[in-house]
Amino acid sequence: MADTHTTKGISQNGTNSRRGAERSDQSEKIKEILEDYRLAVVSREISYLGRKETLTGKAKFGIFGDGKELPQLAMAKYFRDGDFRAGYYRDQTFMLAIGKVTVRQFFAQLYAHPNTKADPHSGGRQMNAHFSTHSLDKDGSWKDLTSQKNSSPDISPTAGQMSRLLGLAQASKVYRNEEVLQDERFKKFSVNGNEIAWGTIGDASTSEGVFWETVNAAGVMQVPMVLSVWDDGYGISVPRKYQTTKASISEALSGMQRTEIKNGLEILTVKGWDYPALVDTYQTAAGIARKEHVPVLIHAQEVTQPQGHSTSGSHERYKSEQRLEWEEKYCCVAQMRKWILKEELAAETELNAIEEEAESYVKREQDAAWQAFTSEIKKEQRTAVQIIDKMIAESEAPESLKAVKKEMNTPMVTLRRHVMAGVRKALRVVRDQQLDSKQELVDWIRETKQDNFERYHSHLYSESDKSPLNVKAVRPTYADHAEEVDGRIVLRDNFDKLFEKYPEVLVFGEDSGKLGDVNKGLEGLQKKYGKIRVADTGIREATILGQGIGLALRGLRPIAEIQYLDYILYCFQGMSDDLATLHYRSAGGQKAPVIVRTRGHRLEGIWHSGSPMGMIINGIRGIHVCVPRNLTEAAGMYNTLLQGDDPALVIEPLNAYRLKEKMPQNIGEFTIPLGVPKVIREGTDITIVSYGSTCNVCEDVLPELDEAGISAELIDVRTLLPFDRHHKIIRSLRKTNRILFVDEDVPGGASAYMMQKVLQEQKGYFYLDSEPLCLTAKEHRPAYGSDGDYFSKPNTDDIFEAVYQIMNEANPEAYPAIYNNEVGH
């Protein structure tokens, strides 16, 4: 909707004195107002009916946007093509108004219809009111984002959408100010940086730290962001006075209000039930953000929540009678109706007709959504029952099968799980019978499982031709007398080539800019490429990650730097809840190929030596995890990832920056394949599996193992996600029949993950002649100092003795015990 659609011409004294063209213009404005009222009523009816559908058992859970209709209608008026939303699960009216959700689609999502045509936002993967638009074509290539209205994929964690909002807004600043991005191929992402990032959040969720990080960072960075706070006075049952200083987020943030001489935010307040004031407020906010690139916060006050937080409880339990009476009086839809009648913009009969039609329209669309959802399942059920009927006719135990069939038809709402469970139970009943129909049912299960894989498991990673898993390996090449340099120089020069090659690449983090990162892997690059592409940030890991997500959603290739691996915990929630699930929860509709760069392993001190790899790999499935053992390997991984379209975490080995490595000739071009381990040295007696800096420690042990007569094969897995895609490790185990997994995570962490992959998934169990072992760090964080490191993490002595222990058990005569039973490493 164009910016000219406002209510500024409607005064409190009526509009009957307009002439000619003014009367025509006024007629259009009245038409627009009545359409807004219709949408408000439709949205309210969705909330009412959606709650009923949930409470009657048709849906699992319901959460709705009733009470927030008018602010969202006002916001929608100034939301242009190219703009992006990072909102939360109350925004149904807004999405209706911009034409990015229909009533039928809303109910399809409520029912969890696993079909992207029925629910284009998530294909049934997200609970209702979690919205997303499609940024990608079916082949994974970018659409023209400037010709459509965009919404990033919603998440449920409170305030989780805030950090992403910062990056979405920053992208406009980057596109407006970076000359290298004026190329024609970037026109589909921005028009001179004129796009606004629109955020929404409930007032109680502003208590979360990521909200404050985002607001502070936006004020510092001066990015085009309009952030709306829907303030209905409660966080579920907890009132505002326990949530926010001064019981007002706008007052609490007042120190960030911009002045004539100092940057900051523009802070606006407005009543959530005052339609004309809301329209004016959003017009003002949009003008400031779009033109001046200044962040604006709108505190929408006195918003109501007519049905409470969700279908999980009733707000009558915690709201007083006076409060409930006030909410009924100041319901924004009721207030808009009252205003329309007062201004004589429509007769009551006309509003009654709008309301009646809205109610019947929503009911029709809900019915259609339900029929579409259930008809697919009933079709599958009919096919399954037909096969079971054949089995009943053939079986020696027909009564048991009849009971299964009856159970399949018992649930009030038949779901796929009921059908599949019945079929599987039927097969168990006839497991010892030879029936012609038995194979038919097995085939049905196989086919249905494949369909359900597409419905429920696809798109965790990229499935396009641009997947980094499709990038071909290119070995680094070296001159005959290649110069040996500090590892950081290899990395720095590789980044230099990447910045030259890819104008969409930018890096940012603590000390990344002027200093060139704490280990000088970016030395001199800010001076060469400017402060936009190589930037310093504040100490705020959550929003550093958020910048990366938002920038990547808008076609840029950000490298978000988290200074040390230990600090990843500050942004881990965003990595786990948002980035790792983004491609999956949008059912392949959006991608955010962020590279998170950090460094870790083998440093000293409790908070600088962590290696929580088990936590990381189990918490961020959907993100590739690269664990290079040196910086040439790290450089090759960056080269691979930037040719692909998946997000990744690269953990550079912290003790490698000053170690010497040969300088490759093809810097910026060589690639490391993901999920393909490297055999560091071949052997015949035992396989040692490790990664990162610990792999180098294992390599240091090899000469001593040789002296002891042990031929060890050392394998560097290189990436934990994905892990050994081509089962290279099992080929080694077939040869050696013994295996040791070594890492510096806690017991049961990444070493246990690697063991499960090799012994279970790769069937390595069948090739073992000795007990497989894991050698890990101790259960606590490493104590400080070199002695603390020695006694806390695996060292060369530990590794030698672990290998020797395995060989001693296999051949005690050739490898006599080093210790008696009372002593051990």
Side-chain angles (χ1 to χ4, degrees):
M1 193 171 288
D3 284 5
T4 54
H5 292 182
T6 76
T7 59
K8 277 190 168 292
I10 303 173
S11 70
Q12 297 297 314
N13 296 320
T15 57
N16 294 329
S17 60
R18 306 294 185 188
R19 309 189 200 95
E22 291 178 325
R23 280 198 295 269
S24 175
D25 183 54
Q26 185 67 12
S27 176
E28 286 300 311
K29 288 175 181 175
I30 293 173
K31 183 179 177 181
E32 180 186 339
I33 291 166
L34 295 182
E35 173 59 20
D36 280 353
Y37 182 70
R38 188 193 72 82
L39 272 176
V41 175
V42 164
S43 185
R44 181 62 62 88
E45 289 297 328
I46 288 174
S47 298
Y48 290 156
L49 185 54
R51 186 177 181 88
K52 291 178 183 177
E53 290 295 281
T54 306
L55 296 179
T56 56
K58 286 185 176 180
K60 193 77 173 179
F61 178 79
I63 197 159
F64 308 100
D66 44 308
K68 284 79 179 171
E69 292 91 351
L70 297 198
Q72 292 177 28
L73 288 168
M75 182 171 76
K77 292 180 182 298
Y78 305 102
F79 191 92
R80 290 181 178 175
D81 286 352
D83 287 357
F84 256 92
R85 165 189 169 272
Y88 87 134
Y89 42 71
R90 303 291 185 194
D91 292 348
Q92 69 197 46
T93 311
F94 173 80
M95 295 300 290
L96 285 166
I98 65 168
K100 290 302 178 180
V101 71
T102 67
V103 177
R104 192 176 303 187
Q105 289 168 356
F106 185 94
F107 281 99
Q109 192 178 59
L110 182 71
Y111 302 135
H113 192 163
N115 183 312
T116 52
K117 291 182 179 179
D119 169 25
H121 303 275
S122 70
R125 294 175 178 184
Q126 293 247 71
M127 70 173 67
N128 76 293
H130 287 64
F131 304 111
S132 173
T133 53
H134 285 209
S135 298
L136 308 176
D137 289 321
K138 289 184 178 180
D139 63 357
S141 60
W142 290 101
K143 293 184 175 183
D144 183 352
L145 303 186
T146 67
S147 65
Q148 65 180 37
K149 295 177 172 64
N150 304 287
S151 175
S152 58
D154 289 344
I155 57 176
S156 292
T158 51
Q161 72 275 23
M162 288 294 95
S163 59
R164 167 178 9 119
L165 173 66
L166 181 68
L168 291 169
Q170 184 191 359
S172 290
K173 185 172 184 176
V174 172
Y175 281 120
R176 177 174 288 186
N177 295 287
E178 188 54 56
E179 291 185 10
V180 295
L181 296 174
Q182 303 309 310
D183 186 90
E184 187 65 31
R185 64 193 176 106
F186 299 111
K187 297 298 183 185
K188 64 172 64 176
F189 301 115
S190 179
V191 179
N192 301 319
N194 292 331
E195 301 79 23
I196 296 173
W198 301 78
T200 64
I201 188 171
D203 180 67
S205 295
T206 65
S207 300
E208 295 278 11
V210 69
F211 169 84
W212 292 88
E213 259 196 52
T214 300
V215 169
N216 178 60
V220 170
M221 296 168 65
Q222 293 292 282
V223 291
M225 179 175 93
V226 177
L227 173 55
S228 298
V229 180
W230 311 140
D231 185 357
D232 57 34
Y234 291 85
I236 305 185
S237 67
V238 181
R240 186 194 303 114
K241 65 181 179 180
Y242 298 125
Q243 303 274 1
T244 309
T245 299
K246 299 183 179 180
S248 169
I249 192 60
S250 52
E251 287 189 48
L253 289 170
S254 59
M256 294 187 183
Q257 172 66 52
R258 66 171 178 161
T259 67
E260 291 183 1
I261 59 173
K262 288 188 177 181
N263 287 336
L265 314 177
E266 185 64 41
I267 300 175
L268 307 173
T269 61
V270 63
K271 305 301 183 187
W273 45 263
D274 189 341
Y275 177 81
L278 283 162
V279 173
D280 289 349
T281 300
Y282 276 93
Q283 183 182 40
T284 299
I288 293 169
R290 203 178 300 279
K291 183 179 179 181
E292 302 179 48
H293 272 198
V294 168
V296 182
L297 182 135
I298 297 176
H299 184 189
Q301 302 169 321
E302 298 187 11
V303 174
T304 64
Q305 196 157 271
Q307 299 185 107
H309 175 265
S310 67
T311 55
S312 62
S314 170
H315 63 156
E316 284 86 354
R317 292 183 300 163
Y318 55 85
K319 289 179 181 176
S320 68
E321 289 187 13
Q322 291 83 359
R323 171 70 190 193
L324 292 170
E325 288 174 4
W326 179 89
E327 289 200 5
E328 186 174 349
K329 179 179 180 182
Y330 282 91
C331 163
C332 65
V333 179
Q335 285 289 322
M336 186 177 185
R337 190 185 206 279
K338 182 178 179 182
W339 175 75
I340 290 172
L341 293 174
K342 179 183 177 183
E343 296 301 312
E344 299 180 355
L345 304 177
E348 187 161 10
T349 53
E350 188 175 355
L351 298 186
N352 290 341
I354 289 173
E355 292 155 7
E356 289 172 7
E357 171 53 28
E359 183 177 359
S360 61
Y361 168 63
V362 170
K363 186 67 176 87
R364 288 196 305 272
E365 293 300 292
Q366 172 267 315
D367 283 339
W370 178 250
Q371 290 302 317
F373 170 61
T374 56
S375 63
E376 290 182 10
I377 299 173
K378 287 177 181 177
K379 183 179 179 182
E380 294 174 23
Q381 184 187 35
R382 283 194 298 271
T383 303
V385 167
Q386 286 170 2
I387 301 172
I388 292 174
D389 282 339
K390 292 180 185 178
M391 295 176 71
I392 291 171
E394 298 176 23
S395 174
E396 299 170 358
E399 295 307 314
S400 297
L401 289 171
K402 288 178 182 178
V404 171
K405 178 181 172 182
K406 182 179 179 180
E407 189 176 339
M408 285 175 62
N409 292 312
T410 298
M412 182 185 73
V413 177
T414 300
L415 301 175
R416 281 190 172 87
R417 70 184 183 91
H418 299 129
V419 179
M420 181 60 77
V423 167
R424 294 167 76 176
K425 191 169 183 178
L427 282 175
R428 293 199 294 272
V429 168
V430 300
R431 64 187 180 275
D432 58 348
Q433 300 178 37
Q434 299 298 318
L435 307 175
D436 294 337
S437 54
K438 185 175 178 180
Q439 185 59 48
E440 190 176 351
L441 203 57
V442 170
D443 293 340
W444 183 91
I445 286 181
R446 185 181 297 111
E447 182 180 336
T448 304
K449 277 188 173 181
Q450 181 57 44
D451 292 339
N452 286 334
F453 181 90
E454 293 299 320
R455 291 183 181 114
Y456 301 111
H457 307 303
S458 61
H459 300 296
L460 181 59
Y461 295 94
S462 171
E463 298 175 8
S464 76
D465 292 339
K466 302 172 186 66
S467 166
L469 303 186
N470 296 329
V471 176
K472 293 182 179 179
V474 177
R475 294 177 179 271
T477 59
Y478 298 95
D480 291 339
H481 303 286
E483 181 185 5
E484 289 201 346
V485 298
D486 289 348
R488 75 171 186 89
I489 301 299
V490 176
L491 196 61
R492 181 200 66 188
D493 290 0
N494 194 78
F495 278 133
D496 189 7
K497 288 291 184 181
L498 293 177
F499 271 80
E500 183 181 293
K501 185 176 181 179
Y502 301 108
E504 65 268 38
V505 169
L506 59 163
V507 64
F508 44 87
E510 300 157 21
D511 301 305
S512 301
K514 187 173 183 179
L515 189 65
D517 86 41
V518 290
N519 295 102
K520 296 192 173 182
L522 299 169
E523 182 183 30
L525 297 188
Q526 185 183 78
K527 185 176 181 180
K528 184 172 183 179
Y529 294 103
K531 293 183 179 179
I532 292 177
R533 296 186 68 194
V534 185
D536 285 312
T537 69
I539 300 176
R540 45 174 183 79
E541 286 79 10
T543 44
I544 290 172
L545 173 72
Q547 285 177 243
I549 297 173
L551 290 164
L553 284 169
R554 294 192 58 190
L556 295 166
R557 292 307 306 266
I559 300 173
E561 182 169 314
I562 306 299
Q563 198 163 79
Y564 292 112
L565 180 60
D566 298 79
Y567 304 165
I568 212 84
L569 296 180
Y570 286 96
C571 65
F572 192 72
Q573 189 245 342
M575 293 182 70
S576 181
D577 286 335
D578 197 351
L579 183 58
T581 67
L582 191 146
H583 193 56
Y584 171 80
R585 71 179 189 268
S586 66
Q590 294 202 23
K591 62 183 176 183
V594 186
I595 298 175
V596 179
R597 178 194 182 209
T598 189
R599 50 192 68 80
H601 305 315
R602 310 309 300 201
L603 194 62
E604 296 174 359
I606 289 176
W607 290 287
H608 287 80
S609 56
S611 183
M613 297 308 301
M615 179 197 76
I616 289 170
I617 60 178
N618 289 306
I620 60 171
R621 303 294 171 96
I623 300 175
H624 298 302
V625 177
C626 303
V627 282
R629 72 183 186 282
N630 60 45
L631 296 180
T632 301
E633 290 269 310
M637 290 172 181
Y638 288 118
N639 298 342
T640 297
L641 292 167
L642 285 170
Q643 293 182 47
D645 62 353
D646 268 332
L649 169 66
V650 180
I651 305 170
E652 297 169 10
L654 194 51
N655 56 6
Y657 296 100
R658 300 295 177 182
L659 298 179
K660 299 299 181 183
E661 299 183 33
K662 288 184 178 181
M663 176 61 76
Q665 289 177 309
N666 56 340
I667 201 81
E669 300 297 332
F670 63 90
T671 58
I672 301 297
L674 305 185
V676 181
K678 182 175 183 178
V679 178
I680 305 301
R681 200 193 72 169
E682 293 188 357
T684 57
D685 292 331
I686 187 169
T687 300
I688 303 174
V689 179
S690 191
Y691 60 86
S693 297
T694 304
C695 187
N696 297 329
V697 180
C698 293
E699 189 172 13
D700 291 340
V701 180
L702 295 179
E704 189 174 355
L705 291 173
D706 289 340
E707 290 178 8
I710 299 172
S711 175
E713 180 149 305
L714 177 61
I715 298 179
D716 174 16
V717 302
R718 301 205 283 191
T719 64
L720 289 167
L721 294 177
F723 181 88
D724 193 8
R725 290 190 291 139
H726 307 311
H727 293 186
K728 203 169 188 176
I729 297 173
I730 196 64
R731 293 198 290 273
S732 174
L733 185 57
R734 284 174 185 162
K735 175 174 57 175
T736 67
N737 308 117
R738 299 174 185 88
I739 194 163
L740 172 68
F741 299 92
V742 187
D743 83 335
E744 57 179 294
D745 195 2
V746 296
S751 61
Y753 162 81
M754 293 190 292
M755 180 181 278
Q756 187 266 341
K757 286 285 186 180
V758 175
L759 299 191
Q760 181 181 331
E761 287 192 16
Q762 297 184 16
K763 308 300 181 185
Y765 172 82
F766 297 101
Y767 302 102
L768 289 173
D769 287 342
S770 297
E771 178 187 3
L773 292 183
C774 292
L775 179 61
T776 69
K778 298 299 185 285
E779 292 188 348
H780 53 76
R781 300 280 183 101
Y784 178 60
S786 296
D787 282 347
D789 176 72
Y790 180 87
F791 290 105
S792 300
K793 290 191 173 186
N795 55 60
T796 54
D797 297 323
D798 294 334
I799 296 167
F800 177 90
E801 292 175 4
V803 172
Y804 195 88
Q805 174 186 331
I806 295 172
M807 299 307 298
N808 165 255
E809 184 272 335
N811 189 345
E813 291 185 4
Y815 307 101
I818 298 173
Y819 302 104
N820 60 32
N821 292 336
E822 286 75 37
V823 181
H825 69 273

